[in-house]
């Protein structure tokens, strides 16, 4: 499981540069021959802060991510666990912010309705949930379930305790580097 930022600052570089980085990354993981699941990281959202206007070009924003890895939110079962991948990366054309939009919330509620409360859940996303605009609403969906959260973004490892929801969140070091050590 990769919790985002497969490439280095794709958000600030050209679509062509991001494509080179994604190609390099996939050339390294493809020979492994094992399933690898991805979350979209803020550096994987391509060219949103690039100095040239490229918003009409193929690959802009999350489109390059989609072309390599598929949907940015999805679920799957792995052994006894139900795994959920969420995408809080949102962009309004001027700045990036983090929340689970209504369409994704509706999908998440429906996905959870298929599983009893005692089914262990592993939930993956990039930005730690404390930075989300609707964190309380999302945490409420996992309260009273056997849930563990996994995020990236901070480029170092730390365990967060969401005591009010009785849920732990493991922030993992980023694949593209632990920059802030």
């Amino acid at each position: 499981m990769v919790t985002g930022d497969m490439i280095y600052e794709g958000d600030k570089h050209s679509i062509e540069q991001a494509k080179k980085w994604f190609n390099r990354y996939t050339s390294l993981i493809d020979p492994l021959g094992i399933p690898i699941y991805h979350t979209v990281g803020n550096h994987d959202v391509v060219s949103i802060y690039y100095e040239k206007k490229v918003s009409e070009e193929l690959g802009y924003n999350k489109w390059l991510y989609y072309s390599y890895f598929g949907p940015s939110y999805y679920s799957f079962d792995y052994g006894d666990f139900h795994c959920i991948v969420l995408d809080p990366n949102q962009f309004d054309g001027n700045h990036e912010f983090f929340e689970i939009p209504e369409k994704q919330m509706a999908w998440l509620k429906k996905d959870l309705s298929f599983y009893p409360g005692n089914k262990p859940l592993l939930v993956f996303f990039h930005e730690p949930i404390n930075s989300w605009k609707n964190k309380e609403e999302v945490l409420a969906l996992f309260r009273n379930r056997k849930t563990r959260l996994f995020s990236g973004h901070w480029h170092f490892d730390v365990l967060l305790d969401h005591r009010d929801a009785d849920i732990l969140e493991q922030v993992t070091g980023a694949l593209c580097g632990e920059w802030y050590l």
Side-chain angles (χ1 to χ4, degrees):
M1 189 72 219
V2 179
T3 57
D5 287 351
M6 282 75 67
I7 65 172
Y8 176 73
E9 294 190 337
D11 53 334
K12 297 176 185 165
H13 287 83
S14 70
I15 294 168
E16 293 76 28
Q17 179 60 59
K19 193 177 290 187
K20 288 178 187 176
W21 286 331
F22 275 124
N23 285 338
R24 177 71 176 140
Y25 171 73
T26 57
S27 76
L28 295 171
I29 65 166
D30 285 347
L32 297 175
I34 59 172
I36 298 177
Y37 301 93
H38 296 89
T39 66
V40 62
N42 61 307
H43 295 302
D44 306 320
V45 180
V46 175
S47 298
I48 59 173
Y49 296 122
Y50 186 52
E51 69 264 6
K52 295 180 184 175
K53 181 162 175 44
V54 295
S55 61
E56 301 300 318
E57 292 183 26
L58 190 61
Y60 178 74
N61 202 325
K62 295 179 195 173
W63 290 105
L64 200 56
Y65 174 89
Y66 299 149
S67 72
Y68 282 90
F69 308 111
S72 62
Y73 61 95
Y74 56 96
S75 66
F76 60 95
D77 291 323
Y78 189 86
D80 293 334
F81 296 93
H82 182 60
C83 302
I84 299 170
V85 175
L86 297 175
D87 176 10
N89 292 278
Q90 306 305 315
F91 187 71
D92 67 6
N94 295 311
H95 72 284
E96 192 172 29
F97 60 96
F98 311 117
E99 75 175 347
I100 301 301
E102 287 182 35
K103 181 178 176 183
Q104 192 175 157
M105 283 294 287
W107 169 86
L108 177 59
K109 289 173 184 176
K110 185 173 182 177
D111 185 75
L112 289 171
S113 74
F114 295 113
Y115 296 94
N118 63 349
K119 175 88 170 170
L121 300 175
L122 302 178
V123 184
F124 303 93
F125 41 85
H126 183 63
E127 291 78 15
I129 204 165
N130 284 338
S131 62
W132 298 7
K133 289 184 173 187
N134 59 347
K135 89 170 195 174
E136 295 302 327
E137 182 183 357
V138 176
L139 281 174
L141 296 176
F142 299 124
R143 192 173 283 119
N144 300 320
R145 291 180 170 266
K146 297 164 99 176
T147 304
R148 292 298 175 256
L149 308 175
F150 297 86
S151 60
H153 191 60
W154 288 349
H155 299 265
F156 58 86
D157 296 296
V158 65
L159 184 64
L160 304 176
D161 187 350
H162 302 287
R163 289 189 179 127
D164 56 330
D166 193 28
I167 298 173
L168 295 175
E169 177 181 348
Q170 177 64 55
V171 180
T172 63
L175 188 65
C176 68
E178 294 201 4
W179 303 342
Y180 308 109
L181 294 178

